[in-house]
Amino acid sequence: MANPTLTGPQPDLGSLLMRGAGAPIGVLALLAMIVLPLPPLVLDVLFTFNIALSLMIVIAVFSVKRPLDFAIFPSVLLIATLFRLALNVASTRVVLMHGHTGTAAAGHVIESFGEFVIGGNYAVGIIVFIILTIINFIVVTKGAGRISEVSARFTLDAMPGKQMAIDADLNAGLISQDEARARRIEVRSEADFYGSMDGASKFVRGDATAGILILIINLVGGIAIGVMMHDLAFGDASRVYALLTIGDGLVAQIPALLLSTGVALIVTRMSREQDMGQEVARQLFRDPRMLITAAALLAVLGAIPGMPNVAFLSMAALCGGGAWWFHRQRARAEAEPAPEPPPPAPVESRDLSWDDVQSVDLIGLEVGYRLVPLVDRSQGGDLLARIRGVRRKLSHDLGFLVQAVHIRDNLELSPNAYRINLSGVPVGEGTIYPDRELAINPGRVFGALTGIETRDPAFGMEAVWIESGLRDHAQALGYTVVDASTVIATHLSHVVQNHAQELLGHEEVQQLLNNLAKTAPKLIEDLVPKTLPLATVVRVLQGLLAERVPIRNLRAILETLAEHGPRTPDPQILQAQVRVALGRQIVQEIAGLTDELPVITLEPDLEQLLANSVNGQSATPGLEPGLAERLQRRLVESTQRQEAAGEPAVLLVPPPLRATLTRFLRSSVPQLRVLAWNEIPDSRRVRLVTTVGK
């Protein structure tokens, strides 16, 4: 009977390499190159492979669309550098041991490179090698190292802002948990990449230094060995070892220069959309005037007697022809007619009916004709999906189903403008650019951006509309970058949150009661309409939403109404009682999980003055204008200090003053939350921040 351990499929060499055996084998090969002498044929093969590897790396750098697409580049750079240094050690051993036998002692690759560059003049060969080394060491390597260092620092500084932007999009319902997780991984990968590139650039710089030292050692040591050990004449030794040294150095320096160029290219990449060739063609030749200017200058130089007229005039003609071709292509693209909207369908001649009376959309979004692709899924528009996510998030946070958003185009708007309507009344508008992205200044950035300066339509923060290719650069400077669809969705979310009470009507409240009746039928039966009419319940819920209190805990709200409803039908009094019942929830949303609540209070004499002037039916306290203005100004200053310290701004007042002061300060200090003493749960400690007086 056959042994089952021997009859199964045996792994081949390729599978072993794919499973991770390739790395240890590679390390052993490097050690063998350093320790064991290599024949000239093997050196030829390895030097050729080294050049091919460097060319493949540079081509890969050119073809990637963004740096993270070649995230393994730092590791590849390290392996290629170590391989080349090990190859230098192996070739140095062969040159010093067998150089006296002739110029072919270290292989034909080194011999060919040496003879081609030297051309019979050893001084010229050495100078050419030194020039290549200087270019690699001082120009390319030093610049790439500096760019890597700055990119790593800016990327690490921008990480907190990027993480907060992801959390904000997640909380707003713009992205899912999986997408947020993927974006966080991308942010960490970007930071790791640029940090690794900062260290990898030091490999390249050290490799250039090692090339210079190896050249000196090979030349001086080879001549000394040839003269003293092999009885060669000084001239013969200088000729043989100079050719071998220069050939060895060139074979090593050319791949090193290619890798240094690859490092410089990949750390200067910013585009997410195109490879480098497409970027150069789009940005360098987008304006034919550059080629026209160059052609004119070359023609002037070519017309000067004594100048190389043929060369200059030929290049001028080439630049002029290129400018004409690019201008023709641009004019052809602009001449293409824009798609016209379809003609309206003919209106049938019939009598009017009630069907011709259009109802007003509760939530409406009007867009200019250039923003229509954002809504059209066939053109890659994702605005509908973004709005659906916003509705889902708001419905969960507010406690009721937010109505659908009706989107239509409006030719009366400017092409890039949009407008948000509530019940047919405009409540917000803005201008966006679909082909650009909005870089928002969160308050602390590390530089300026070139673009169309504006303000965030939702929160009024300073912002700049930038080209898509500058997204990574803007994020590195600390800006929060969002696309056009996100701008509209965020603005819509902000508007709905501020006007949530207008979206809750009798039908919505009745639907909430019907859903709760499935689990608490007795509560709903005793409350509406036996205790309170539906209109009173609607006014209470609308009042809570107007004060930014969600109605998610509908059962607690209705139980409070059922308890206090028989004593008073006044919606304001009932709303105050509901706020007391929801005190833990209200404070939780303001202060989070901290046990301490920082508060601002009024001086006792000011509280007494307000209490004496407040009329139970009046909308604002009966204060003189000067006192009211000073009170608003001091509360604004206190609120700004709390926000600067990263703490919530809460004004703690007696219960009779809370509703009146809330309405009085709602427009002037919207960030300030007004709480009554009895709304703070016993589990929270109150910390007095400041006291505001007359």
Side-chain angles (χ1 to χ4, degrees):
M1 183 175 181
N3 190 349
T5 60
L6 299 178
T7 58
Q10 301 297 317
D12 57 1
L13 179 60
S15 62
L16 289 176
L17 295 176
M18 294 298 294
R19 293 177 183 178
I25 293 175
V27 174
L28 293 176
L30 291 177
L31 293 176
M33 292 170 58
I34 296 174
V35 176
L36 301 176
L38 300 179
L41 179 60
V42 177
L43 286 178
D44 289 342
V45 173
L46 293 178
F47 276 124
T48 306
F49 173 76
N50 186 28
I51 297 174
L53 178 63
S54 302
L55 289 174
M56 288 189 295
I57 294 174
V58 173
I59 294 173
V61 170
F62 268 96
S63 59
V64 295
K65 295 182 178 181
R66 56 174 187 165
L68 286 183
D69 292 341
F70 200 6
I72 198 66
F73 180 71
S75 300
V76 173
L77 180 63
L78 173 60
I79 295 173
T81 303
L82 293 178
F83 174 72
R84 187 172 59 256
L85 291 175
L87 196 57
N88 280 335
V89 174
S91 63
T92 299
R93 179 189 296 108
V94 175
V95 168
L96 296 180
M97 291 180 62
H98 305 287
H100 64 282
T101 61
T103 56
H108 295 290
V109 174
I110 293 178
E111 182 185 16
S112 300
F113 270 83
E115 290 180 348
F116 179 77
V117 175
I118 290 178
N121 194 327
Y122 305 110
V124 173
I126 294 175
I127 292 173
V128 170
F129 176 80
I130 293 175
I131 292 175
L132 288 176
T133 305
I134 291 174
I135 293 173
N136 187 18
F137 183 74
I138 297 179
V139 180
V140 182
T141 303
K142 188 174 182 180
R146 179 58 178 168
I147 295 175
S148 300
E149 181 182 354
V150 174
S151 299
R153 185 171 71 248
F154 280 1
T155 302
L156 293 176
D157 291 340
M159 276 193 66
K162 294 180 180 179
Q163 295 285 359
M164 288 189 295
I166 295 172
D167 294 338
D169 290 346
L170 180 61
N171 294 332
L174 303 179
I175 58 177
S176 61
Q177 287 284 354
D178 295 337
E179 188 175 356
R181 189 179 301 107
R183 290 174 59 177
R184 290 191 184 98
I185 294 175
E186 183 178 358
V187 170
R188 289 195 298 269
S189 300
E190 184 181 11
D192 294 340
F193 174 78
Y194 283 106
S196 300
M197 286 304 304
D198 185 23
S201 61
K202 304 300 189 296
F203 300 153
V204 180
R205 188 177 181 87
D207 180 41
T209 306
I212 299 175
L213 297 178
I214 291 174
L215 173 70
I216 298 174
I217 293 172
N218 282 347
L219 185 59
V220 177
I223 294 174
I225 292 174
V227 172
M228 292 185 294
M229 297 181 63
H230 301 288
D231 298 329
L232 294 177
F234 183 81
D236 295 337
S238 300
R239 178 181 60 82
V240 173
Y241 286 101
L243 187 145
L244 292 174
T245 300
I246 295 173
D248 184 24
L250 288 175
V251 173
Q253 279 302 312
I254 291 177
L257 183 59
L258 291 175
L259 288 182
S260 301
T261 305
V263 173
L265 288 173
I266 202 166
V267 297
T268 54
R269 299 294 303 275
M270 294 184 296
S271 176
R272 290 177 171 266
E273 299 176 355
Q274 298 174 319
D275 60 27
M276 193 165 185
Q278 294 174 333
E279 288 182 17
V280 171
R282 181 178 64 88
Q283 299 184 22
L284 186 59
F285 302 111
R286 61 182 175 183
D287 193 350
R289 290 178 297 180
M290 296 183 293
L291 289 174
I292 294 174
T293 304
L297 293 176
L298 290 174
V300 172
L301 292 175
I304 298 175
M307 298 292 288
N309 308 100
V310 177
F312 279 106
L313 293 177
S314 300
M315 186 57 64
L318 183 61
C319 292
W324 174 81
W325 187 83
F326 281 114
H327 177 72
R328 182 181 178 184
Q329 295 294 325
R330 185 176 180 181
R332 184 180 300 175
E334 293 178 354
E336 293 181 356
E340 298 181 356
V347 180
E348 298 180 358
S349 179
R350 61 178 180 84
D351 293 334
L352 296 178
S353 65
W354 285 104
D355 296 333
D356 296 312
V357 181
Q358 296 182 355
S359 59
V360 178
D361 297 330
L362 197 57
I363 307 176
L365 176 62
E366 300 176 352
V367 297
Y369 69 87
R370 288 184 181 174
L371 305 184
V372 173
L374 297 177
V375 187
D376 191 359
R377 294 177 181 170
S378 62
Q379 302 183 43
D382 60 346
L383 183 57
L384 293 177
R386 298 290 182 88
I387 292 177
R388 191 181 304 110
V390 169
R391 287 186 59 209
R392 184 182 298 107
K393 183 65 169 59
L394 290 175
S395 300
H396 176 268
D397 293 342
L398 297 177
F400 68 97
L401 180 62
V402 176
Q403 294 83 353
V405 180
H406 296 272
I407 305 175
R408 59 170 56 93
D409 60 333
N410 188 350
L411 297 180
E412 296 180 357
L413 297 175
S414 61
N416 292 332
Y418 70 92
R419 180 185 297 161
I420 302 174
N421 301 326
L422 290 183
S423 300
V425 180
V427 293
E429 59 184 4
T431 301
I432 63 175
Y433 299 88
D435 56 340
R436 292 173 174 260
E437 296 189 346
L438 186 64
I440 304 172
N441 184 356
R444 182 172 179 265
V445 295
F446 303 98
L449 292 173
T450 302
I452 305 173
E453 296 184 357
T454 183
R455 286 190 174 273
D456 173 33
F459 305 100
M461 304 175 68
E462 295 181 356
V464 181
W465 285 103
I466 62 174
E467 295 183 359
S468 300
L470 298 176
R471 181 185 183 95
D472 292 342
H473 177 61
Q475 291 179 340
L477 294 178
Y479 288 86
T480 301
V481 185
V482 295
D483 57 15
S485 298
T486 304
V487 173
I488 298 178
T490 304
H491 194 186
L492 179 64
S493 175
H494 182 68
V495 168
V496 172
Q497 286 179 329
N498 291 338
H499 299 82
Q501 70 276 9
E502 302 178 22
L503 305 179
L504 186 70
H506 286 66
E507 292 295 331
E508 290 75 21
V509 174
Q510 186 61 57
Q511 187 64 42
L512 291 175
L513 297 178
N514 295 339
N515 292 338
L516 186 60
K518 300 176 182 178
T519 57
K522 187 62 176 176
L523 173 62
I524 306 301
E525 181 183 351
D526 294 340
L527 179 61
V528 181
K530 293 182 179 180
T531 304
L532 293 173
L534 180 60
T536 302
V537 178
V538 172
R539 290 189 60 185
V540 171
L541 297 179
Q542 289 176 344
L544 293 173
L545 292 174
E547 295 178 351
R548 290 180 288 176
V549 179
I551 58 175
R552 295 190 303 269
N553 195 357
L554 185 62
R555 182 164 184 164
I557 296 173
L558 298 183
E559 287 178 348
T560 304
L561 295 180
E563 178 182 356
H564 298 276
R567 291 193 291 270
T568 176
D570 190 349
Q572 294 186 1
I573 299 176
L574 294 174
Q575 180 180 336
Q577 297 296 332
V578 172
R579 286 183 59 94
V580 174
L582 300 179
R584 181 176 288 103
Q585 171 188 326
I586 297 174
V587 176
Q588 171 76 23
E589 293 182 354
I590 296 175
L593 299 176
T594 58
D595 297 334
E596 191 175 67
L597 178 65
V599 299
I600 305 169
T601 61
L602 304 177
E603 291 184 353
D605 55 347
L606 180 58
E607 285 185 354
Q608 186 63 39
L609 177 62
L610 292 176
N612 295 334
S613 61
V614 167
N615 186 342
Q617 302 298 325
S618 65
T620 58
L623 297 176
E624 61 178 79
L627 179 58
E629 183 181 358
R630 289 196 300 272
L631 177 60
Q632 288 181 345
R633 184 175 64 254
R634 292 173 182 176
L635 288 175
V636 168
E637 295 173 354
S638 301
T639 301
Q640 291 175 351
R641 287 195 297 269
Q642 287 295 102
E643 291 180 345
E647 295 182 342
V650 179
L651 177 63
L652 191 61
V653 297
L657 296 178
R658 190 208 59 79
T660 303
L661 287 177
T662 298
R663 293 189 294 268
F664 175 62
L665 300 171
R666 184 177 298 167
S667 59
S668 59
V669 201
Q671 304 88 352
L672 182 64
R673 303 294 294 271
V674 184
L675 298 182
W677 297 338
N678 57 350
E679 296 175 355
I680 301 178
D682 297 336
S683 59
R684 299 280 183 164
R685 299 193 308 271
V686 176
R687 174 170 59 87
L688 179 62
V689 176
T690 183
T691 300
V692 177
K694 297 182 183 179

